[in-house]
Amino acid sequence: LFVQALKAVAPVLVLVLVFGATTLGRWAQTYGQNAGEILRQHVAMGVWMHKHLPKNAKVAICDAGAIPYYSQRTCYDVNGLVTNDFRTPGGGVQAFGFIWETLERLKPGYLVIYPNWFRPLTSLPILKRLHTTHLRRTTIAGGRDMVAYRIQWDKLGNPDRPGHPPADAKGWRLVDQVDVGC
Protein backbone atom coordinates (compact mmCIF):
# COMPACT_ATOMS: atom_id res chain seq x y z
CA LEU A 1 0.00 0.00 0.00
CA PHE A 2 2.82 2.43 0.87
CA VAL A 3 4.63 1.69 -2.40
CA GLN A 4 1.46 2.34 -4.41
CA ALA A 5 0.92 5.67 -2.64
CA LEU A 6 4.54 6.63 -3.25
CA LYS A 7 4.20 5.81 -6.96
CA ALA A 8 1.13 8.02 -7.16
CA VAL A 9 2.76 10.94 -5.34
CA ALA A 10 6.24 10.62 -6.91
CA PRO A 11 5.50 12.67 -10.07
CA VAL A 12 4.17 15.52 -7.96
CA LEU A 13 7.22 15.42 -5.69
CA VAL A 14 9.52 15.48 -8.72
CA LEU A 15 7.71 18.55 -10.09
CA VAL A 16 7.96 20.32 -6.73
CA LEU A 17 11.69 19.56 -6.49
CA VAL A 18 12.36 20.70 -10.08
CA PHE A 19 10.35 23.92 -9.61
CA GLY A 20 12.02 24.56 -6.26
CA ALA A 21 15.49 24.01 -7.70
CA THR A 22 14.84 26.44 -10.55
CA THR A 23 13.72 29.20 -8.16
CA LEU A 24 16.40 28.64 -5.52
CA GLY A 25 18.82 31.11 -7.11
CA ARG A 26 16.25 33.91 -7.25
CA TRP A 27 15.11 33.20 -3.71
CA ALA A 28 18.71 33.30 -2.44
CA GLN A 29 19.33 36.59 -4.26
CA THR A 30 16.21 38.20 -2.78
CA TYR A 31 17.05 36.91 0.69
CA GLY A 32 20.57 38.33 0.37
CA GLN A 33 19.25 41.72 -0.75
CA ASN A 34 16.75 41.83 2.13
CA ALA A 35 19.41 40.88 4.69
CA GLY A 36 21.77 43.50 3.23
CA GLU A 37 19.13 46.20 3.62
CA ILE A 38 18.53 45.30 7.24
CA LEU A 39 22.29 45.43 7.82
CA ARG A 40 22.80 48.79 6.06
CA GLN A 41 19.73 50.45 7.57
CA HIS A 42 18.44 48.89 10.81
CA VAL A 43 21.69 47.48 12.17
CA ALA A 44 23.55 50.64 11.12
CA MET A 45 20.96 52.82 12.89
CA GLY A 46 21.14 50.67 16.03
CA VAL A 47 24.94 50.84 16.09
CA TRP A 48 24.84 54.62 15.56
CA MET A 49 22.35 54.95 18.44
CA HIS A 50 24.59 52.82 20.68
CA LYS A 51 27.55 55.09 19.95
CA HIS A 52 25.81 58.49 20.04
CA LEU A 53 22.77 58.40 22.33
CA PRO A 54 22.94 58.42 26.13
CA LYS A 55 22.68 54.98 27.76
CA ASN A 56 19.43 55.99 29.47
CA ALA A 57 17.88 57.35 26.22
CA LYS A 58 14.30 56.43 25.46
CA VAL A 59 13.60 56.14 21.75
CA ALA A 60 10.33 55.84 19.85
CA ILE A 61 10.95 53.74 16.72
CA CYS A 62 8.79 52.60 13.83
CA ASP A 63 10.44 49.26 13.15
CA ALA A 64 11.34 47.08 16.11
CA GLY A 65 13.88 44.31 15.71
CA ALA A 66 17.55 44.96 15.03
CA ILE A 67 17.43 48.56 16.25
CA PRO A 68 16.65 47.85 19.93
CA TYR A 69 19.05 44.91 19.93
CA TYR A 70 22.04 46.82 18.55
CA SER A 71 21.31 50.14 20.24
CA GLN A 72 20.75 48.62 23.68
CA ARG A 73 18.44 51.54 24.43
CA THR A 74 14.88 51.59 25.73
CA CYS A 75 12.70 51.58 22.60
CA TYR A 76 8.98 52.09 22.09
CA ASP A 77 7.44 50.74 18.88
CA VAL A 78 5.07 53.42 17.52
CA ASN A 79 3.42 50.78 15.32
CA GLY A 80 2.26 48.99 18.48
CA LEU A 81 3.58 45.60 17.43
CA VAL A 82 5.86 45.13 20.45
CA THR A 83 4.93 48.09 22.68
CA ASN A 84 1.49 48.00 24.26
CA ASP A 85 1.44 51.77 24.88
CA PHE A 86 0.94 52.35 21.15
CA ARG A 87 -1.66 49.61 20.63
CA THR A 88 -5.13 50.82 19.86
CA PRO A 89 -8.14 48.93 21.18
CA GLY A 90 -9.06 46.37 18.54
CA GLY A 91 -5.73 46.83 16.72
CA GLY A 92 -5.54 48.50 13.36
CA VAL A 93 -3.63 51.51 12.15
CA GLN A 94 -3.16 54.28 14.69
CA ALA A 95 -4.12 57.84 13.90
CA PHE A 96 -1.30 60.36 14.11
CA GLY A 97 -3.14 62.09 16.95
CA PHE A 98 -3.06 58.89 18.99
CA ILE A 99 0.65 58.43 18.28
CA TRP A 100 1.35 62.05 19.25
CA GLU A 101 -0.60 61.77 22.50
CA THR A 102 1.27 58.59 23.41
CA LEU A 103 4.58 60.28 22.62
CA GLU A 104 3.56 63.21 24.85
CA ARG A 105 2.75 60.80 27.68
CA LEU A 106 5.92 58.66 27.38
CA LYS A 107 8.25 61.60 26.55
CA PRO A 108 10.96 59.70 24.68
CA GLY A 109 13.95 61.89 23.92
CA TYR A 110 14.38 60.53 20.40
CA LEU A 111 12.34 59.35 17.44
CA VAL A 112 13.59 56.99 14.69
CA ILE A 113 11.15 56.65 11.82
CA TYR A 114 10.67 56.34 8.10
CA PRO A 115 9.68 59.92 7.20
CA ASN A 116 7.57 58.67 4.30
CA TRP A 117 5.38 56.72 6.77
CA PHE A 118 4.98 59.56 9.27
CA ARG A 119 4.88 62.81 7.26
CA PRO A 120 2.67 64.69 9.78
CA LEU A 121 5.13 63.89 12.59
CA THR A 122 8.18 64.96 10.57
CA SER A 123 6.71 68.43 10.10
CA LEU A 124 6.69 69.09 13.85
CA PRO A 125 9.03 71.98 14.71
CA ILE A 126 10.27 70.20 17.84
CA LEU A 127 12.10 67.51 15.86
CA LYS A 128 15.80 68.00 15.17
CA ARG A 129 17.29 65.65 12.57
CA LEU A 130 20.38 63.90 13.95
CA HIS A 131 21.22 61.02 11.63
CA THR A 132 19.98 59.33 8.45
CA THR A 133 20.62 55.89 7.02
CA HIS A 134 19.99 55.90 3.27
CA LEU A 135 19.45 53.02 0.87
CA ARG A 136 19.81 53.44 -2.90
CA ARG A 137 16.95 51.00 -3.45
CA THR A 138 14.73 48.89 -1.26
CA THR A 139 13.31 45.38 -1.41
CA ILE A 140 12.10 44.97 2.17
CA ALA A 141 12.77 48.19 4.10
CA GLY A 142 9.94 50.65 4.71
CA GLY A 143 11.70 53.43 2.86
CA ARG A 144 15.01 54.59 1.49
CA ASP A 145 15.65 56.86 4.47
CA MET A 146 15.39 56.03 8.13
CA VAL A 147 15.93 59.16 10.24
CA ALA A 148 16.82 59.69 13.88
CA TYR A 149 15.44 62.87 15.45
CA ARG A 150 15.92 64.42 18.85
CA ILE A 151 12.56 65.45 20.28
CA GLN A 152 12.95 68.91 21.78
CA TRP A 153 10.09 68.80 24.29
CA ASP A 154 11.25 72.07 25.85
CA LYS A 155 10.34 73.91 22.62
CA LEU A 156 6.63 73.29 23.20
CA GLY A 157 4.82 76.35 24.51
CA ASN A 158 3.56 75.21 27.88
CA PRO A 159 4.82 71.99 29.50
CA ASP A 160 1.60 71.68 31.52
CA ARG A 161 -0.50 71.86 28.35
CA PRO A 162 1.60 70.35 25.53
CA GLY A 163 0.87 71.80 22.13
CA HIS A 164 -0.60 75.01 23.52
CA PRO A 165 1.02 78.44 23.31
CA PRO A 166 2.48 79.88 26.51
CA ALA A 167 -0.01 81.67 28.74
CA ASP A 168 1.75 85.00 28.19
CA ALA A 169 1.85 84.68 24.37
CA LYS A 170 0.41 87.74 22.66
CA GLY A 171 -2.23 87.32 19.98
CA TRP A 172 -3.34 83.86 21.11
CA ARG A 173 -6.71 82.99 22.56
CA LEU A 174 -7.75 79.39 23.22
CA VAL A 175 -11.31 79.06 21.97
CA ASP A 176 -11.83 75.30 22.04
CA GLN A 177 -9.90 72.06 22.13
CA VAL A 178 -10.45 68.59 20.74
CA ASP A 179 -8.92 65.23 21.55
CA VAL A 180 -7.55 64.19 18.15
CA GLY A 181 -6.51 60.80 19.46
CA CYS A 182 -10.07 59.50 19.70
Side-chain angles (χ1 to χ4, degrees):
L1 184 64
F2 176 74
V3 173
Q4 288 176 338
L6 188 58
K7 285 181 182 179
V9 176
V12 173
L13 289 175
V14 169
L15 283 174
V16 168
L17 287 173
V18 167
F19 179 73
T22 61
T23 61
L24 184 61
R26 179 67 188 136
W27 177 85
Q29 181 183 15
T30 301
Y31 180 79
Q33 289 170 341
N34 292 350
E37 281 182 29
I38 298 301
L39 176 68
R40 288 186 305 276
Q41 192 175 68
H42 297 208
V43 172
M45 182 62 78
V47 169
W48 179 86
M49 289 167 56
H50 184 75
K51 290 179 180 178
H52 295 92
L53 299 185
K55 288 185 190 279
N56 64 346
K58 294 179 181 174
V59 186
I61 61 174
C62 73
D63 210 338
I67 295 172
Y69 180 80
Y70 284 96
S71 71
Q72 297 181 1
R73 301 299 182 261
T74 299
C75 292
Y76 305 112
D77 173 21
V78 298
N79 290 326
L81 299 175
V82 295
T83 304
N84 286 333
D85 294 296
F86 286 93
R87 291 187 79 133
T88 56
V93 177
Q94 303 90 330
F96 289 114
F98 177 80
I99 293 172
W100 174 247
E101 285 183 352
T102 307
L103 287 171
E104 279 186 314
R105 184 170 43 82
L106 296 174
K107 292 277 194 279
Y110 303 88
L111 179 67
V112 175
I113 57 174
Y114 291 116
N116 58 308
W117 286 11
F118 298 91
R119 293 224 186 274
L121 290 180
T122 61
S123 65
L124 293 172
I126 66 167
L127 295 182
K128 179 181 179 188
R129 185 182 286 242
L130 298 176
H131 181 70
T132 301
T133 55
H134 177 76
L135 298 173
R136 284 184 279 156
R137 65 184 192 92
T138 63
T139 58
I140 196 171
R144 289 183 176 198
D145 291 331
M146 179 177 269
V147 180
Y149 300 92
R150 184 167 49 102
I151 305 174
Q152 302 174 72
W153 293 108
D154 58 327
K155 293 209 178 215
L156 286 175
N158 184 344
D160 295 329
R161 298 196 47 144
H164 291 268
D168 60 349
K170 299 207 183 301
W172 287 89
R173 183 171 65 95
L174 180 62
V175 179
D176 198 0
Q177 62 186 10
V178 67
D179 184 352
V180 295
C182 292

